[in-house]
Amino acid sequence: ELKVEQNPLFLSMQEGKNYTIYCNYSTTSDRLYWYRQDPGKSLESLFVLLSNGAVKQEGRLMASLDTKARLSTLHITAAVHDLSATYFCAVSRRGSQGNLIFGKGTKLSVKP
Amino acid sequence: GAVVSQHPSRVICKSGTSVKIECRSLDFQATTMFWYRQFPKQSLMLMATSNEGSKATYEQGVEKDKFLINHASLTLSTLTVTSAHPEDSSFYICSAATGLSTEAFFGQGTRLTVV
């Protein structure tokens, strides 16, 4: 059974600091996704990682994938308040881009 | 491109009634649509997968007679919550995918409150 573990679940950061969110998954998968969710809203797609060693960056966020270690990371550089949200990683099940197992999410709060 | 629209965004219904939620792909044909449920402060859980013109596949523990899914066309899937109870109150989110995309695209979600 595919399980996805995310940590930390809560993260309080000061503006300007760096931090990393970790996402471990239990069985082989060929797709890993990172999403952002603001309160009361749906998901916003951040990154799609499809291969071992994949690294993608957008603004202050960078995601990477190590399929051998079954680990993905979401690195936040020089955090700003606007990054406050809940971040989810999700792993594809059965090779389907929509059949996803989600981590529990990391609630990020960036304080001045 | 790749816009998925869900309707309604919010609905309040009385206990025992049924409510229908629509999920539409506006600018692409979705061969497969997915329905998720998210309880407050929790993660998303897949409820069912629907393919156009065939019966939905439900995840373990999801009652197919309570959560009726219809995927009548390549741009529309509906989720009907029958005989709703307060414990069905949740945020329901659909996503839609084509065979060509590397990801599915999420709708805006529907906040269901059963009173």
Side-chain angles (χ1 to χ4, degrees):
Chain A
E1 182 188 348
L2 177 58
K3 292 183 180 179
V4 180
E5 290 189 2
Q6 217 174 310
N7 69 84
L9 300 182
F10 298 93
L11 179 54
S12 181
M13 297 176 64
Q14 278 193 309
E15 280 192 328
K17 298 292 187 183
N18 305 332
Y19 209 84
T20 301
I21 300 170
Y22 297 87
C23 177
N24 288 91
Y25 54 100
S26 59
T27 63
T28 303
S29 175
D30 59 354
R31 302 172 197 234
L32 189 135
Y33 303 86
W34 285 96
Y35 296 96
R36 168 181 171 146
Q37 186 177 40
D38 291 295
K41 304 289 187 183
S42 186
L43 301 181
E44 173 189 351
S45 177
L46 296 175
F47 300 106
V48 180
L49 302 171
L50 301 176
S51 60
N52 186 42
V55 177
K56 291 193 174 181
Q57 182 164 5
E58 182 72 37
R60 300 175 188 273
L61 301 178
M62 183 173 71
S64 66
L65 177 62
D66 181 343
T67 58
K68 293 180 181 177
R70 297 176 186 161
L71 170 68
S72 179
T73 61
L74 180 67
H75 187 73
I76 303 158
T77 302
V80 293
H81 178 70
D82 285 352
L83 289 179
S84 297
T86 299
Y87 294 84
F88 290 97
C89 67
V91 177
S92 166
R93 191 170 53 166
R94 302 172 192 151
S96 164
Q97 70 272 65
N99 190 324
L100 303 177
I101 302 296
F102 281 80
K104 291 187 176 181
T106 297
K107 184 172 183 179
L108 172 65
S109 175
V110 181
K111 302 183 185 303
Chain B
V3 177
V4 176
S5 177
Q6 239 179 288
H7 178 80
S9 57
R10 286 179 184 274
V11 59
I12 300 173
C13 71
K14 290 186 177 180
S15 188
T17 63
S18 296
V19 61
K20 181 186 287 188
I21 302 169
E22 292 186 349
C23 179
R24 293 181 186 272
S25 56
L26 297 186
D27 52 2
F28 66 100
Q29 293 188 323
T31 51
T32 311
M33 289 187 171
F34 305 85
W35 288 95
Y36 289 84
R37 179 168 55 183
Q38 184 181 31
F39 290 111
K41 300 188 188 304
Q42 294 189 24
S43 188
L44 282 77
M45 297 291 289
L46 181 65
M47 299 174 67
T49 301
S50 74
N51 292 292
E52 186 263 340
S54 62
K55 289 184 179 180
T57 301
Y58 290 81
E59 295 299 307
Q60 193 171 13
V62 178
E63 300 173 60
K64 63 180 180 181
D65 294 331
K66 180 170 183 62
F67 299 100
L68 301 179
I69 291 172
N70 186 293
H71 192 161
S73 77
L74 285 172
T75 58
L76 173 64
S77 176
T78 60
L79 168 68
T80 301
V81 183
T82 62
S83 187
H85 290 284
E87 56 265 32
D88 298 323
S89 299
S90 187
F91 193 45
Y92 291 86
I93 310 175
C94 72
S95 68
T98 74
L100 303 175
S101 60
T102 57
E103 63 178 313
F105 303 98
F106 283 86
Q108 312 98 305
T110 297
R111 174 78 56 194
L112 169 64
T113 303
V114 184
V115 297

mmCIF file of all heavy atoms in Angstrom, chain B residues 52-97:
data_model
loop_
_atom_site.group_PDB
_atom_site.id
_atom_site.type_symbol
_atom_site.label_atom_id
_atom_site.label_comp_id
_atom_site.label_asym_id
_atom_site.label_seq_id
_atom_site.Cartn_x
_atom_site.Cartn_y
_atom_site.Cartn_z
ATOM 1 N N GLU B 52 -15.335 8.399 -18.693
ATOM 2 C CA GLU B 52 -16.497 8.725 -19.499
ATOM 3 C C GLU B 52 -17.158 7.471 -20.037
ATOM 4 O O GLU B 52 -16.486 6.611 -20.620
ATOM 5 C CB GLU B 52 -16.081 9.661 -20.639
ATOM 6 C CG GLU B 52 -17.247 10.174 -21.469
ATOM 7 C CD GLU B 52 -17.444 9.372 -22.732
ATOM 8 O OE1 GLU B 52 -16.499 8.697 -23.157
ATOM 9 O OE2 GLU B 52 -18.543 9.420 -23.299
ATOM 10 N N GLY B 53 -18.435 7.372 -19.798
ATOM 11 C CA GLY B 53 -19.224 6.274 -20.350
ATOM 12 C C GLY B 53 -19.145 4.966 -19.597
ATOM 13 O O GLY B 53 -19.737 3.972 -20.032
ATOM 14 N N SER B 54 -18.436 4.939 -18.483
ATOM 15 C CA SER B 54 -18.370 3.691 -17.723
ATOM 16 C C SER B 54 -18.611 3.959 -16.247
ATOM 17 O O SER B 54 -18.622 5.118 -15.807
ATOM 18 C CB SER B 54 -17.026 2.993 -17.938
ATOM 19 O OG SER B 54 -15.977 3.797 -17.473
ATOM 20 N N LYS B 55 -18.779 2.888 -15.498
ATOM 21 C CA LYS B 55 -19.045 3.047 -14.066
ATOM 22 C C LYS B 55 -17.812 3.553 -13.331
ATOM 23 O O LYS B 55 -16.679 3.217 -13.678
ATOM 24 C CB LYS B 55 -19.473 1.703 -13.479
ATOM 25 C CG LYS B 55 -20.856 1.251 -13.905
ATOM 26 C CD LYS B 55 -21.241 -0.044 -13.190
ATOM 27 C CE LYS B 55 -22.633 -0.493 -13.604
ATOM 28 N NZ LYS B 55 -23.027 -1.741 -12.916
ATOM 29 N N ALA B 56 -18.070 4.311 -12.303
ATOM 30 C CA ALA B 56 -16.961 4.832 -11.499
ATOM 31 C C ALA B 56 -16.333 3.728 -10.662
ATOM 32 O O ALA B 56 -16.991 2.745 -10.305
ATOM 33 C CB ALA B 56 -17.466 5.951 -10.596
ATOM 34 N N THR B 57 -15.067 3.924 -10.363
ATOM 35 C CA THR B 57 -14.353 3.016 -9.459
ATOM 36 C C THR B 57 -14.204 3.721 -8.123
ATOM 37 O O THR B 57 -13.589 4.790 -8.039
ATOM 38 C CB THR B 57 -12.956 2.691 -10.025
ATOM 39 O OG1 THR B 57 -13.109 2.095 -11.312
ATOM 40 C CG2 THR B 57 -12.238 1.717 -9.095
ATOM 41 N N TYR B 58 -14.755 3.108 -7.079
ATOM 42 C CA TYR B 58 -14.755 3.731 -5.766
ATOM 43 C C TYR B 58 -13.605 3.199 -4.917
ATOM 44 O O TYR B 58 -13.251 2.026 -4.994
ATOM 45 C CB TYR B 58 -16.085 3.461 -5.060
ATOM 46 C CG TYR B 58 -17.248 4.194 -5.684
ATOM 47 C CD1 TYR B 58 -17.885 3.702 -6.820
ATOM 48 C CD2 TYR B 58 -17.699 5.393 -5.140
ATOM 49 C CE1 TYR B 58 -18.938 4.388 -7.404
ATOM 50 C CE2 TYR B 58 -18.762 6.084 -5.705
ATOM 51 C CZ TYR B 58 -19.370 5.577 -6.840
ATOM 52 O OH TYR B 58 -20.411 6.265 -7.410
ATOM 53 N N GLU B 59 -13.079 4.075 -4.090
ATOM 54 C CA GLU B 59 -12.033 3.658 -3.146
ATOM 55 C C GLU B 59 -12.675 2.888 -1.999
ATOM 56 O O GLU B 59 -13.878 3.014 -1.717
ATOM 57 C CB GLU B 59 -11.280 4.879 -2.629
ATOM 58 C CG GLU B 59 -10.514 5.608 -3.713
ATOM 59 C CD GLU B 59 -9.458 4.744 -4.379
ATOM 60 O OE1 GLU B 59 -8.611 4.163 -3.651
ATOM 61 O OE2 GLU B 59 -9.468 4.643 -5.619
ATOM 62 N N GLN B 60 -11.835 2.101 -1.369
ATOM 63 C CA GLN B 60 -12.322 1.294 -0.248
ATOM 64 C C GLN B 60 -12.915 2.193 0.829
ATOM 65 O O GLN B 60 -12.316 3.205 1.203
ATOM 66 C CB GLN B 60 -11.148 0.477 0.321
ATOM 67 C CG GLN B 60 -11.565 -0.615 1.272
ATOM 68 C CD GLN B 60 -10.391 -1.519 1.640
ATOM 69 O OE1 GLN B 60 -9.241 -1.187 1.373
ATOM 70 N NE2 GLN B 60 -10.687 -2.653 2.237
ATOM 71 N N GLY B 61 -14.083 1.794 1.304
ATOM 72 C CA GLY B 61 -14.724 2.554 2.367
ATOM 73 C C GLY B 61 -15.657 3.649 1.891
ATOM 74 O O GLY B 61 -16.345 4.262 2.705
ATOM 75 N N VAL B 62 -15.715 3.904 0.615
ATOM 76 C CA VAL B 62 -16.627 4.915 0.068
ATOM 77 C C VAL B 62 -17.875 4.220 -0.441
ATOM 78 O O VAL B 62 -17.792 3.314 -1.280
ATOM 79 C CB VAL B 62 -15.955 5.701 -1.078
ATOM 80 C CG1 VAL B 62 -16.928 6.712 -1.676
ATOM 81 C CG2 VAL B 62 -14.693 6.400 -0.578
ATOM 82 N N GLU B 63 -19.033 4.645 0.050
ATOM 83 C CA GLU B 63 -20.293 3.985 -0.307
ATOM 84 C C GLU B 63 -20.761 4.453 -1.684
ATOM 85 O O GLU B 63 -21.150 5.612 -1.862
ATOM 86 C CB GLU B 63 -21.359 4.320 0.720
ATOM 87 C CG GLU B 63 -21.046 3.884 2.139
ATOM 88 C CD GLU B 63 -22.092 4.410 3.108
ATOM 89 O OE1 GLU B 63 -23.278 4.070 2.935
ATOM 90 O OE2 GLU B 63 -21.724 5.171 4.030
ATOM 91 N N LYS B 64 -20.781 3.549 -2.623
ATOM 92 C CA LYS B 64 -21.153 3.935 -3.983
ATOM 93 C C LYS B 64 -22.624 4.307 -4.098
ATOM 94 O O LYS B 64 -23.007 5.085 -4.975
ATOM 95 C CB LYS B 64 -20.791 2.837 -4.970
ATOM 96 C CG LYS B 64 -21.506 1.534 -4.750
ATOM 97 C CD LYS B 64 -21.065 0.518 -5.801
ATOM 98 C CE LYS B 64 -21.775 -0.798 -5.609
ATOM 99 N NZ LYS B 64 -21.361 -1.824 -6.602
ATOM 100 N N ASP B 65 -23.472 3.763 -3.226
ATOM 101 C CA ASP B 65 -24.890 4.103 -3.298
ATOM 102 C C ASP B 65 -25.174 5.452 -2.663
ATOM 103 O O ASP B 65 -26.239 6.035 -2.883
ATOM 104 C CB ASP B 65 -25.721 3.026 -2.609
ATOM 105 C CG ASP B 65 -25.650 1.703 -3.333
ATOM 106 O OD1 ASP B 65 -25.456 1.727 -4.573
ATOM 107 O OD2 ASP B 65 -25.742 0.654 -2.677
ATOM 108 N N LYS B 66 -24.250 5.933 -1.872
ATOM 109 C CA LYS B 66 -24.435 7.230 -1.239
ATOM 110 C C LYS B 66 -23.825 8.348 -2.091
ATOM 111 O O LYS B 66 -24.360 9.438 -2.176
ATOM 112 C CB LYS B 66 -23.778 7.234 0.135
ATOM 113 C CG LYS B 66 -23.937 8.563 0.861
ATOM 114 C CD LYS B 66 -23.496 8.462 2.283
ATOM 115 C CE LYS B 66 -23.740 9.777 2.982
ATOM 116 N NZ LYS B 66 -25.176 10.135 3.000
ATOM 117 N N PHE B 67 -22.712 8.051 -2.701
ATOM 118 C CA PHE B 67 -22.010 9.032 -3.537
ATOM 119 C C PHE B 67 -22.099 8.560 -4.988
ATOM 120 O O PHE B 67 -21.266 7.793 -5.470
ATOM 121 C CB PHE B 67 -20.561 9.178 -3.089
ATOM 122 C CG PHE B 67 -20.405 9.659 -1.679
ATOM 123 C CD1 PHE B 67 -20.139 8.762 -0.649
ATOM 124 C CD2 PHE B 67 -20.531 10.999 -1.376
ATOM 125 C CE1 PHE B 67 -20.005 9.208 0.671
ATOM 126 C CE2 PHE B 67 -20.388 11.460 -0.070
ATOM 127 C CZ PHE B 67 -20.132 10.564 0.956
ATOM 128 N N LEU B 68 -23.136 9.060 -5.662
ATOM 129 C CA LEU B 68 -23.383 8.635 -7.038
ATOM 130 C C LEU B 68 -22.577 9.489 -8.000
ATOM 131 O O LEU B 68 -22.648 10.711 -7.973
ATOM 132 C CB LEU B 68 -24.879 8.762 -7.358
ATOM 133 C CG LEU B 68 -25.828 7.949 -6.472
ATOM 134 C CD1 LEU B 68 -27.267 8.196 -6.897
ATOM 135 C CD2 LEU B 68 -25.497 6.468 -6.526
ATOM 136 N N ILE B 69 -21.835 8.831 -8.853
ATOM 137 C CA ILE B 69 -21.005 9.554 -9.816
ATOM 138 C C ILE B 69 -21.448 9.201 -11.218
ATOM 139 O O ILE B 69 -21.612 8.036 -11.568
ATOM 140 C CB ILE B 69 -19.517 9.217 -9.609
ATOM 141 C CG1 ILE B 69 -19.044 9.808 -8.282
ATOM 142 C CG2 ILE B 69 -18.667 9.750 -10.775
ATOM 143 C CD1 ILE B 69 -17.661 9.390 -7.886
ATOM 144 N N ASN B 70 -21.615 10.255 -12.017
ATOM 145 C CA ASN B 70 -21.994 10.097 -13.410
ATOM 146 C C ASN B 70 -21.011 10.874 -14.270
ATOM 147 O O ASN B 70 -20.743 12.041 -14.004
ATOM 148 C CB ASN B 70 -23.420 10.622 -13.632
ATOM 149 C CG ASN B 70 -23.908 10.349 -15.037
ATOM 150 O OD1 ASN B 70 -23.402 10.908 -16.008
ATOM 151 N ND2 ASN B 70 -24.879 9.473 -15.152
ATOM 152 N N HIS B 71 -20.484 10.208 -15.275
ATOM 153 C CA HIS B 71 -19.527 10.873 -16.181
ATOM 154 C C HIS B 71 -20.078 10.707 -17.592
ATOM 155 O O HIS B 71 -19.606 9.879 -18.364
ATOM 156 C CB HIS B 71 -18.158 10.204 -16.017
ATOM 157 C CG HIS B 71 -17.035 10.962 -16.654
ATOM 158 N ND1 HIS B 71 -15.728 10.742 -16.289
ATOM 159 C CD2 HIS B 71 -17.002 11.893 -17.614
ATOM 160 C CE1 HIS B 71 -14.930 11.523 -17.005
ATOM 161 N NE2 HIS B 71 -15.693 12.234 -17.815
ATOM 162 N N ALA B 72 -21.095 11.507 -17.884
ATOM 163 C CA ALA B 72 -21.881 11.300 -19.088
ATOM 164 C C ALA B 72 -21.202 11.791 -20.358
ATOM 165 O O ALA B 72 -21.530 11.352 -21.459
ATOM 166 C CB ALA B 72 -23.234 11.982 -18.945
ATOM 167 N N SER B 73 -20.269 12.716 -20.208
ATOM 168 C CA SER B 73 -19.600 13.236 -21.399
ATOM 169 C C SER B 73 -18.130 13.479 -21.078
ATOM 170 O O SER B 73 -17.718 13.381 -19.922
ATOM 171 C CB SER B 73 -20.248 14.543 -21.862
ATOM 172 O OG SER B 73 -19.846 15.616 -21.030
ATOM 173 N N LEU B 74 -17.366 13.809 -22.080
ATOM 174 C CA LEU B 74 -15.936 14.034 -21.881
ATOM 175 C C LEU B 74 -15.631 15.366 -21.201
ATOM 176 O O LEU B 74 -14.467 15.675 -20.939
ATOM 177 C CB LEU B 74 -15.192 13.968 -23.217
ATOM 178 C CG LEU B 74 -15.010 12.561 -23.774
ATOM 179 C CD1 LEU B 74 -14.449 12.605 -25.187
ATOM 180 C CD2 LEU B 74 -14.083 11.751 -22.883
ATOM 181 N N THR B 75 -16.669 16.143 -20.911
ATOM 182 C CA THR B 75 -16.424 17.423 -20.237
ATOM 183 C C THR B 75 -17.206 17.583 -18.943
ATOM 184 O O THR B 75 -17.119 18.624 -18.297
ATOM 185 C CB THR B 75 -16.772 18.600 -21.166
ATOM 186 O OG1 THR B 75 -18.142 18.487 -21.552
ATOM 187 C CG2 THR B 75 -15.883 18.611 -22.407
ATOM 188 N N LEU B 76 -17.954 16.569 -18.543
ATOM 189 C CA LEU B 76 -18.794 16.735 -17.367
ATOM 190 C C LEU B 76 -18.862 15.461 -16.541
ATOM 191 O O LEU B 76 -19.155 14.384 -17.052
ATOM 192 C CB LEU B 76 -20.212 17.139 -17.777
ATOM 193 C CG LEU B 76 -21.264 17.196 -16.661
ATOM 194 C CD1 LEU B 76 -20.911 18.277 -15.640
ATOM 195 C CD2 LEU B 76 -22.653 17.431 -17.240
ATOM 196 N N SER B 77 -18.593 15.629 -15.249
ATOM 197 C CA SER B 77 -18.843 14.563 -14.286
ATOM 198 C C SER B 77 -19.634 15.169 -13.139
ATOM 199 O O SER B 77 -19.440 16.336 -12.782
ATOM 200 C CB SER B 77 -17.530 13.981 -13.763
ATOM 201 O OG SER B 77 -17.757 12.999 -12.766
ATOM 202 N N THR B 78 -20.549 14.388 -12.586
ATOM 203 C CA THR B 78 -21.330 14.878 -11.454
ATOM 204 C C THR B 78 -21.208 13.918 -10.274
ATOM 205 O O THR B 78 -21.091 12.703 -10.458
ATOM 206 C CB THR B 78 -22.812 15.045 -11.806
ATOM 207 O OG1 THR B 78 -23.338 13.781 -12.214
ATOM 208 C CG2 THR B 78 -23.002 16.054 -12.915
ATOM 209 N N LEU B 79 -21.211 14.511 -9.095
ATOM 210 C CA LEU B 79 -21.220 13.754 -7.841
ATOM 211 C C LEU B 79 -22.491 14.119 -7.111
ATOM 212 O O LEU B 79 -22.737 15.306 -6.850
ATOM 213 C CB LEU B 79 -20.001 14.122 -6.993
ATOM 214 C CG LEU B 79 -20.010 13.635 -5.535
ATOM 215 C CD1 LEU B 79 -19.900 12.119 -5.464
ATOM 216 C CD2 LEU B 79 -18.859 14.271 -4.742
ATOM 217 N N THR B 80 -23.314 13.135 -6.823
ATOM 218 C CA THR B 80 -24.533 13.366 -6.065
ATOM 219 C C THR B 80 -24.390 12.717 -4.699
ATOM 220 O O THR B 80 -24.167 11.498 -4.617
ATOM 221 C CB THR B 80 -25.765 12.801 -6.784
ATOM 222 O OG1 THR B 80 -25.871 13.420 -8.081
ATOM 223 C CG2 THR B 80 -27.025 13.081 -5.993
ATOM 224 N N VAL B 81 -24.508 13.533 -3.677
ATOM 225 C CA VAL B 81 -24.493 13.028 -2.309
ATOM 226 C C VAL B 81 -25.949 12.775 -1.925
ATOM 227 O O VAL B 81 -26.747 13.724 -1.836
ATOM 228 C CB VAL B 81 -23.846 14.033 -1.345
ATOM 229 C CG1 VAL B 81 -23.778 13.451 0.064
ATOM 230 C CG2 VAL B 81 -22.454 14.428 -1.835
ATOM 231 N N THR B 82 -26.309 11.527 -1.764
ATOM 232 C CA THR B 82 -27.696 11.188 -1.494
ATOM 233 C C THR B 82 -27.932 11.075 0.010
ATOM 234 O O THR B 82 -27.027 10.679 0.764
ATOM 235 C CB THR B 82 -28.079 9.864 -2.163
ATOM 236 O OG1 THR B 82 -27.267 8.818 -1.606
ATOM 237 C CG2 THR B 82 -27.849 9.920 -3.654
ATOM 238 N N SER B 83 -29.134 11.449 0.428
ATOM 239 C CA SER B 83 -29.512 11.381 1.833
ATOM 240 C C SER B 83 -28.372 11.911 2.712
ATOM 241 O O SER B 83 -27.832 11.195 3.570
ATOM 242 C CB SER B 83 -29.859 9.935 2.206
ATOM 243 O OG SER B 83 -30.382 9.884 3.508
ATOM 244 N N ALA B 84 -28.042 13.148 2.475
ATOM 245 C CA ALA B 84 -26.887 13.741 3.156
ATOM 246 C C ALA B 84 -27.106 13.846 4.658
ATOM 247 O O ALA B 84 -28.235 14.079 5.123
ATOM 248 C CB ALA B 84 -26.605 15.119 2.566
ATOM 249 N N HIS B 85 -26.036 13.660 5.396
ATOM 250 C CA HIS B 85 -26.045 13.808 6.848
ATOM 251 C C HIS B 85 -24.951 14.774 7.260
ATOM 252 O O HIS B 85 -24.016 15.027 6.482
ATOM 253 C CB HIS B 85 -25.837 12.446 7.512
ATOM 254 C CG HIS B 85 -26.997 11.532 7.345
ATOM 255 N ND1 HIS B 85 -28.159 11.666 8.078
ATOM 256 C CD2 HIS B 85 -27.193 10.488 6.518
ATOM 257 C CE1 HIS B 85 -29.018 10.735 7.700
ATOM 258 N NE2 HIS B 85 -28.458 10.011 6.764
ATOM 259 N N PRO B 86 -25.029 15.340 8.437
ATOM 260 C CA PRO B 86 -24.019 16.310 8.861
ATOM 261 C C PRO B 86 -22.576 15.805 8.728
ATOM 262 O O PRO B 86 -21.677 16.593 8.422
ATOM 263 C CB PRO B 86 -24.392 16.573 10.324
ATOM 264 C CG PRO B 86 -25.871 16.395 10.356
ATOM 265 C CD PRO B 86 -26.145 15.247 9.408
ATOM 266 N N GLU B 87 -22.367 14.518 8.903
ATOM 267 C CA GLU B 87 -21.001 13.993 8.783
ATOM 268 C C GLU B 87 -20.485 14.005 7.346
ATOM 269 O O GLU B 87 -19.291 13.753 7.108
ATOM 270 C CB GLU B 87 -20.904 12.577 9.360
ATOM 271 C CG GLU B 87 -21.840 11.572 8.775
ATOM 272 C CD GLU B 87 -23.119 11.411 9.588
ATOM 273 O OE1 GLU B 87 -23.563 12.412 10.206
ATOM 274 O OE2 GLU B 87 -23.667 10.303 9.595
ATOM 275 N N ASP B 88 -21.391 14.264 6.388
ATOM 276 C CA ASP B 88 -20.955 14.398 4.987
ATOM 277 C C ASP B 88 -20.453 15.801 4.685
ATOM 278 O O ASP B 88 -19.945 16.061 3.582
ATOM 279 C CB ASP B 88 -22.110 14.069 4.034
ATOM 280 C CG ASP B 88 -22.590 12.639 4.174
ATOM 281 O OD1 ASP B 88 -21.735 11.747 4.394
ATOM 282 O OD2 ASP B 88 -23.813 12.413 4.091
ATOM 283 N N SER B 89 -20.629 16.695 5.621
ATOM 284 C CA SER B 89 -20.135 18.062 5.432
ATOM 285 C C SER B 89 -18.632 18.018 5.226
ATOM 286 O O SER B 89 -17.890 17.448 6.039
ATOM 287 C CB SER B 89 -20.475 18.920 6.659
ATOM 288 O OG SER B 89 -21.869 19.006 6.856
ATOM 289 N N SER B 90 -18.208 18.617 4.132
ATOM 290 C CA SER B 90 -16.800 18.521 3.768
ATOM 291 C C SER B 90 -16.535 19.424 2.573
ATOM 292 O O SER B 90 -17.447 20.062 2.037
ATOM 293 C CB SER B 90 -16.456 17.067 3.408
ATOM 294 O OG SER B 90 -15.075 16.893 3.199
ATOM 295 N N PHE B 91 -15.281 19.464 2.164
ATOM 296 C CA PHE B 91 -14.877 20.171 0.953
ATOM 297 C C PHE B 91 -14.654 19.108 -0.113
ATOM 298 O O PHE B 91 -13.821 18.209 0.065
ATOM 299 C CB PHE B 91 -13.587 20.954 1.242
ATOM 300 C CG PHE B 91 -13.199 21.974 0.221
ATOM 301 C CD1 PHE B 91 -14.126 22.850 -0.306
ATOM 302 C CD2 PHE B 91 -11.884 22.071 -0.210
ATOM 303 C CE1 PHE B 91 -13.757 23.805 -1.242
ATOM 304 C CE2 PHE B 91 -11.497 23.024 -1.141
ATOM 305 C CZ PHE B 91 -12.432 23.897 -1.657
ATOM 306 N N TYR B 92 -15.416 19.161 -1.191
ATOM 307 C CA TYR B 92 -15.312 18.171 -2.257
ATOM 308 C C TYR B 92 -14.604 18.818 -3.445
ATOM 309 O O TYR B 92 -14.984 19.900 -3.901
ATOM 310 C CB TYR B 92 -16.701 17.676 -2.668
ATOM 311 C CG TYR B 92 -17.364 16.850 -1.588
ATOM 312 C CD1 TYR B 92 -18.099 17.467 -0.572
ATOM 313 C CD2 TYR B 92 -17.238 15.464 -1.562
ATOM 314 C CE1 TYR B 92 -18.675 16.718 0.442
ATOM 315 C CE2 TYR B 92 -17.815 14.711 -0.552
ATOM 316 C CZ TYR B 92 -18.527 15.344 0.447
ATOM 317 O OH TYR B 92 -19.105 14.598 1.441
ATOM 318 N N ILE B 93 -13.569 18.158 -3.928
ATOM 319 C CA ILE B 93 -12.766 18.716 -5.018
ATOM 320 C C ILE B 93 -12.668 17.692 -6.139
ATOM 321 O O ILE B 93 -12.380 16.512 -5.885
ATOM 322 C CB ILE B 93 -11.335 19.060 -4.552
ATOM 323 C CG1 ILE B 93 -11.346 19.899 -3.270
ATOM 324 C CG2 ILE B 93 -10.572 19.805 -5.649
ATOM 325 C CD1 ILE B 93 -9.959 20.161 -2.704
ATOM 326 N N CYS B 94 -12.889 18.141 -7.351
ATOM 327 C CA CYS B 94 -12.720 17.245 -8.489
ATOM 328 C C CYS B 94 -11.441 17.593 -9.237
ATOM 329 O O CYS B 94 -10.911 18.709 -9.112
ATOM 330 C CB CYS B 94 -13.906 17.311 -9.445
ATOM 331 S SG CYS B 94 -13.984 18.835 -10.398
ATOM 332 N N SER B 95 -10.939 16.647 -9.978
ATOM 333 C CA SER B 95 -9.843 16.930 -10.901
ATOM 334 C C SER B 95 -10.126 16.179 -12.197
ATOM 335 O O SER B 95 -10.904 15.219 -12.219
ATOM 336 C CB SER B 95 -8.484 16.524 -10.325
ATOM 337 O OG SER B 95 -8.376 15.131 -10.202
ATOM 338 N N ALA B 96 -9.513 16.657 -13.267
ATOM 339 C CA ALA B 96 -9.765 16.078 -14.575
ATOM 340 C C ALA B 96 -8.454 15.909 -15.318
ATOM 341 O O ALA B 96 -7.542 16.730 -15.191
ATOM 342 C CB ALA B 96 -10.714 16.974 -15.376
ATOM 343 N N ALA B 97 -8.374 14.838 -16.091
ATOM 344 C CA ALA B 97 -7.130 14.542 -16.796
ATOM 345 C C ALA B 97 -7.428 14.032 -18.198
ATOM 346 O O ALA B 97 -8.482 13.448 -18.451
ATOM 347 C CB ALA B 97 -6.332 13.486 -16.029
#
